[in-house]
Amino acid sequence: MKNVKDFDKKEAIFQAMLELISKHGFHSSPMSEVAKQADVAAGTIYHYFKSKDELICALYVRLKEKYIENLFLTDDQNKPFKERFRHFYLQMIIEAQKNPKEFYFLEQFSNSPFISTIPKAEITRLDQPVYDFLRKAVFTQILRDIPPKILVAFVMGSANAIIKLQLSGEFQMTSSDLELAFFTCWDGIKKI
Amino acid sequence: MKNVKDFDKKEAIFQAMLELISKHGFHSSPMSEVAKQADVAAGTIYHYFKSKDELICALYVRLKEKYIENLFLTDDQNKPFKERFRHFYLQMIIEAQKNPKEFYFLEQFSNSPFISTIPKAEITRLDQPVYDFLRKAVFTQILRDIPPKILVAFVMGSANAIIKLQLSGEFQMTSSDLELAFFTCWDGIKKI
Amino acid sequence: MKNVKDFDKKEAIFQAMLELISKHGFHSSPMSEVAKQADVAAGTIYHYFKSKDELICALYVRLKEKYIENLFLTDDQNKPFKERFRHFYLQMIIEAQKNPKEFYFLEQFSNSPFISTIPKAEITRLDQPVYDFLRKAVFTQILRDIPPKILVAFVMGSANAIIKLQLSGEFQMTSSDLELAFFTCWDGIKKI
Amino acid sequence: MKNVKDFDKKEAIFQAMLELISKHGFHSSPMSEVAKQADVAAGTIYHYFKSKDELICALYVRLKEKYIENLFLTDDQNKPFKERFRHFYLQMIIEAQKNPKEFYFLEQFSNSPFISTIPKAEITRLDQPVYDFLRKAVFTQILRDIPPKILVAFVMGSANAIIKLQLSGEFQMTSSDLELAFFTCWDGIKKI
DNA sequence: TATGAATGAGCGTTCATTCAT
DNA sequence: TATGAATGAACGCTCATTCAT
């Protein structure tokens, strides 16, 4: 019972903070509002987290972990790499579309001074799956011989920009547009 | 005299806000600190800007305008497009490297809820030069037939991610790395 | 316990604001001073009231209600109306003399733009007892047939002016002066 | 030329302050707004008045003087006193109706702590004409033998309350209502 | 563990006033 | 005399955090 309740409250707090920050930003998301939205007392938050900053950082790690994990959930290692990459690329876009709040939070966080409070090792750990995924393909000469860090930045950076375009509602993306986006990335990174 | 002073104070305020936000984020950059850094009284800021938000938004427009403008300052329209694009792509990276504070501010702003307070038309206006530059190349069949908005997002998103990698100090980028990055992008977007 | 504390703090805040405003006016009664005088933290006031204006308005309603209520507390409905009215008229003066801060606050409020933020219905409700008291006497032909609103204004307006004269210390009013004041009013409003 | 300009500016400042205070109260009437409304520079106000408070007080004296003066402008000393008093009483109401801003300002001022910054002698001087007017009638046994100060308070207090009722728009007063109001006052104060 | 009233430092902003021109 | 940019103390208010219950 206790564990269930614990889980529920912590979860509710995370969810509330996510909702508020994705909509209003870090400031304009007061703890009192988080408490209200999570249906707990303000003081209760401090039983689970030392401070607001710690809560935000914990939320980041949690969401990032989940996001990356989801990208590989349906990865079929038996398929040819190009197909796996296509799946991966489109999965990023689909995942963000299904969870815009999570996406906005992550982008906001990683473009703010908050990001520098996360130890480099932790960030490396979080990115590891993507890193490994692409590095292996460089190694097996499927992908261009680019330093993996650049490769990861290129792939995810371009994908994120496209996601933002789509989420902004400024541009209605069709499935053939998505296919085009995939090819644009693929033709850039594949070994010639 | 009046104009000179005006220019000085407004400029000093802009500069101070830029410095603080790029380092500490929006909500850890109090107006009192801005005033101190700009060497003006707190109240003076409000002669030039209605509110903190307005100051931040004005700073965004100003910096974005300048940033885009700088990308084309040394563009040579007589050269072949590939070369012009290479110049453009590397210019983005060089520009950001020379002005990291400006880059951090712009990224932070455009990944925060602030961005949605800027009218769409204004954003379109700011991006117009890049948009035109790439659209023309699509039209003349140099670039892949991708909706220009996607194209712009792809190019700038990948470049920005690489810039962030570089600025983070996590990865020392050589000039051949930059060349590689350019080719990765180019091979993605060029007409096959 | 909670209720007692609540009552205490809210009451202390009301009392502090009353004291300050009656002495220094609305805009020379900063919230920080109210907090100090009420012996609470500045922020605490905002648990009980949304804003300074709301606090001031709540105080007005509260004091006005109490003031009117007190006027009829010792009213004896069995006595002839003239005697009841005499009691009522003198009671206004006595009440204000006993609670000058309350009187000053009420007069200041109702002669300021604040008064127009109170809904008309609320003001009607507050004045209702006086209104009813006099209207009935008009109906039974004890008082002159004057529109009740004018009657109320006349009676209370003249009384308030006399109270101000007395409170100003400019004129030492004897009990025969008060008697005279009552007769002056009575002879004006009674049915001839 | 100089005097004309002086007159114009001082007058414009008075007028602007009157307009603002009557509408928004003492606070919410910043000097910068006064300057704007008077079409002068903020600093200019300080050539004519030492401070905001001094300006407000000067405005009070000025308006009160004018108001009282106007009450007797059309007084015909040859007429019987009852008729003269009727004229005076109605004149108060008419005057306020024609100059609501002036009326609101005067009431606001004299019910605020500002009033106690005006020397008693000055207030006495301002009220003198009314005082004399009524005292004489007491002396000649036309009016009840009430201490003149009480008499003045009674008459003007009741009139002001009726004016407020009328200006509030809450009650549409007909000329017969005004007549009734006059008689109510007259029957109260006349010698029986 | 959970509460939420209470805190008070610190925020964004205002505005009476000054002073160099 | 007139200006209005500049000042900075002081305002109303917020909100991360604490602690008695």
Side-chain angles (χ1 to χ4, degrees), chain B residues 48-190:
Chain B
Y48 295 98
F49 307 97
K50 269 214 207 82
S51 66
K52 185 181 182 182
D53 280 21
E54 204 190 82
L55 161 53
I56 290 173
C57 289
L59 179 55
Y60 171 73
V61 170
R62 194 189 154 79
L63 291 180
K64 177 95 186 194
E65 218 158 16
K66 187 87 181 174
Y67 176 68
I68 298 286
E69 191 190 310
N70 281 348
L71 295 183
F72 293 103
L73 229 50
T74 49
D75 175 37
D76 183 348
Q77 300 199 19
N78 297 319
K79 293 211 172 141
F81 183 78
K82 184 180 174 181
E83 213 162 310
R84 288 178 66 200
F85 181 80
R86 181 180 161 281
H87 183 76
F88 166 79
Y89 201 78
L90 298 180
Q91 204 58 27
M92 280 196 281
I93 297 173
I94 290 163
E95 202 61 42
Q97 206 168 4
K98 283 198 301 195
N99 306 293
K101 282 180 278 196
E102 280 79 353
F103 178 79
Y104 278 133
F105 176 89
L106 288 173
E107 283 297 292
Q108 205 174 154
F109 186 98
S110 62
N111 284 286
S112 78
F114 269 120
I115 193 66
S116 63
T117 66
I118 307 283
K120 285 241 168 90
E122 181 71 350
I123 292 181
T124 302
R125 182 182 71 76
L126 291 165
D127 284 337
Q128 202 64 48
V130 182
Y131 193 76
D132 289 347
F133 176 60
L134 295 180
R135 201 176 31 154
K136 237 174 273 173
V138 172
F139 196 67
T140 56
Q141 309 227 14
I142 297 168
L143 294 183
R144 215 191 252 275
D145 191 14
I146 317 172
K149 292 212 166 175
I150 298 182
L151 193 57
V152 170
F154 184 90
V155 168
M156 302 200 76
S158 68
N160 285 344
I162 285 165
I163 289 164
K164 269 175 242 175
L165 176 64
Q166 190 184 26
L167 287 180
S168 75
E170 209 185 326
F171 187 85
Q172 210 53 38
M173 219 165 285
T174 64
S175 65
S176 79
D177 285 333
L178 292 181
E179 212 58 42
L180 218 44
F182 154 65
F183 271 115
T184 303
C185 189
W186 175 255
D187 287 347
I189 63 174
K190 74 169 188 220

Side-chain angles (χ1 to χ4, degrees), chain C residues 69-89 91 133 136:
Chain C
E69 191 188 311
N70 281 348
L71 295 182
F72 293 103
L73 229 49
T74 49
D75 176 36
D76 183 350
Q77 300 199 18
N78 297 318
K79 293 209 172 144
F81 184 77
K82 183 178 175 182
E83 211 161 311
R84 287 177 67 200
F85 181 78
R86 180 180 162 280
H87 183 75
F88 166 79
Y89 202 78
Q91 203 58 27
F133 177 60
K136 237 173 275 174

Side-chain angles (χ1 to χ4, degrees), chain C residues 24-25 27 107-108 111 113 144-147 149-150 153-154 157-158 161 164-165 170-171 177 180 183-184 187-188, chain D residues 24-25 27 107-108 111 113 144-147 149 153-154 157-158 161 164-165 170-171 177 180 183-184 187-188 192:
Chain C
H24 304 121
H27 80 293
E107 283 298 292
Q108 203 174 153
N111 284 287
R144 214 192 254 274
D145 191 14
I146 318 172
K149 292 211 165 177
I150 298 182
F154 184 89
S158 68
K164 268 175 245 174
L165 176 63
E170 210 186 324
F171 187 84
D177 284 333
L180 218 44
F183 270 114
T184 304
D187 288 344
Chain D
H24 303 121
H27 71 308
E107 283 298 291
Q108 204 174 153
N111 285 287
R144 214 191 252 275
D145 190 14
I146 318 171
K149 291 215 164 173
F154 184 90
S158 68
K164 269 175 243 176
L165 177 63
E170 210 185 325
F171 187 83
D177 285 331
L180 217 44
F183 271 115
T184 303
D187 288 345
I192 312 167

Side-chain angles (χ1 to χ4, degrees), chain A residues 24-25 27 107-108 111 113 144-147 149 153-154 157-158 161 164-165 170-171 177 180 183-184 187-188 192, chain B residues 24-25 27 107-108 111 113 144-147 149-150 153-154 157-158 161 164 170-171 177 180 183-184 187-188 192:
Chain A
H24 304 122
H27 71 308
E107 283 296 292
Q108 204 174 151
N111 285 286
R144 214 191 253 275
D145 190 14
I146 318 172
K149 293 213 163 174
F154 183 90
S158 68
K164 268 176 243 176
L165 177 63
E170 209 184 328
F171 187 84
D177 284 332
L180 217 45
F183 270 115
T184 303
D187 288 347
I192 312 165
Chain B
H24 303 122
H27 80 291
E107 283 297 292
Q108 205 174 154
N111 284 286
R144 215 191 252 275
D145 191 14
I146 317 172
K149 292 212 166 175
I150 298 182
F154 184 90
S158 68
K164 269 175 242 175
E170 209 185 326
F171 187 85
D177 285 333
L180 218 44
F183 271 115
T184 303
D187 287 347
I192 313 164

Side-chain angles (χ1 to χ4, degrees), chain D residues 124-176:
Chain D
T124 302
R125 182 182 72 76
L126 291 164
D127 284 336
Q128 201 64 47
V130 183
Y131 193 76
D132 289 348
F133 176 60
L134 295 180
R135 202 177 30 156
K136 236 174 277 173
V138 171
F139 197 67
T140 56
Q141 308 226 16
I142 298 170
L143 293 185
R144 214 191 252 275
D145 190 14
I146 318 171
K149 291 215 164 173
I150 298 184
L151 193 57
V152 170
F154 184 90
V155 169
M156 302 199 76
S158 68
N160 285 343
I162 284 166
I163 288 164
K164 269 175 243 176
L165 177 63
Q166 191 183 25
L167 286 180
S168 76
E170 210 185 325
F171 187 83
Q172 209 54 37
M173 219 165 288
T174 65
S175 63
S176 80

